[in-house]
């Protein structure tokens, strides 16, 4: 998923991401990351299309081609880019003091 996030970040630099295309961009990035990483059995585009809510496997294939063209067929992720995305995700997922749960005073029932 981290590699898919990197692909999404790369694509977002040249293609506006809207509510109408975001799920297709996410799905396609996950599919490309999966296919690039897996040496063994890879699911079919029909499977990915079904899971992703696309009408046909041809649409999945077309989305892959478009994203590969945008990425200039470069699916390699250098270590530095990987570590930058890791740090960014860690930073964005760290809650601020305002987001931390408030400590509650413990109420003790003396009657028990």
């Amino acid at each position: 998923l981290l590699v898919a996030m990197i692909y999404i970040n790369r694509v977002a630099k040249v293609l506006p991401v809207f509510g109408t295309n975001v799920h297709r961009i996410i799905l396609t990035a996950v599919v490309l990351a999966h296919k690039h990483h897996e040496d063994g059995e890879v699911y079919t585009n029909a499977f990915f299309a079904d899971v992703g809510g696309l009408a046909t496997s041809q649409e999945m294939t077309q989305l892959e081609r478009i994203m590969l063209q945008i990425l200039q067929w470069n699916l390699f992720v250098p270590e530095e880019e990987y570590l930058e995305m890791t740090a960014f995700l860690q930073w964005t997922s760290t809650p601020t003091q305002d987001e931390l749960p408030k400590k509650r005073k413990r109420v003790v029932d003396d009657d028990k």
Side-chain angles (χ1 to χ4, degrees):
L1 288 178
L2 187 64
V3 172
M5 289 288 298
I6 291 169
Y7 295 163
I8 292 166
N9 191 46
R10 290 177 184 178
V11 167
K13 291 177 182 176
V14 295
L15 178 73
V17 179
F18 299 108
T20 55
N21 69 358
V22 69
H23 101 272
R24 285 176 168 77
I25 291 172
I26 293 169
L27 173 65
T28 308
V30 169
V31 168
L32 289 178
H34 169 73
K35 288 183 174 183
H36 185 66
H37 183 265
E38 286 299 318
D39 287 336
E41 185 176 336
V42 177
Y43 295 104
T44 65
N45 277 2
F47 172 80
F48 286 121
D50 186 45
V51 169
L54 303 178
T56 65
S57 62
Q58 289 80 13
E59 184 179 1
M60 184 74 251
T61 303
Q62 182 180 13
L63 290 170
E64 281 184 281
R65 284 187 190 132
I66 292 168
M67 186 171 284
L68 284 167
Q69 289 171 348
I70 291 169
L71 296 173
Q72 298 178 341
W73 295 82
N74 180 15
L75 298 181
F76 176 73
V77 176
E79 182 179 4
E80 181 179 330
E81 189 176 11
Y82 186 89
L83 293 175
E84 284 175 5
M85 181 59 75
T86 301
F88 173 75
L89 292 174
Q90 288 173 341
W91 176 76
T92 58
S93 65
T94 303
T96 64
Q97 287 297 323
D98 293 337
E99 296 170 328
L100 293 173
K102 305 290 185 224
K103 291 185 178 181
R104 294 183 177 181
K105 291 184 179 181
R106 188 171 171 182
V107 178
V108 179
D109 189 0
D110 292 333
D111 294 335
K112 289 187 180 181

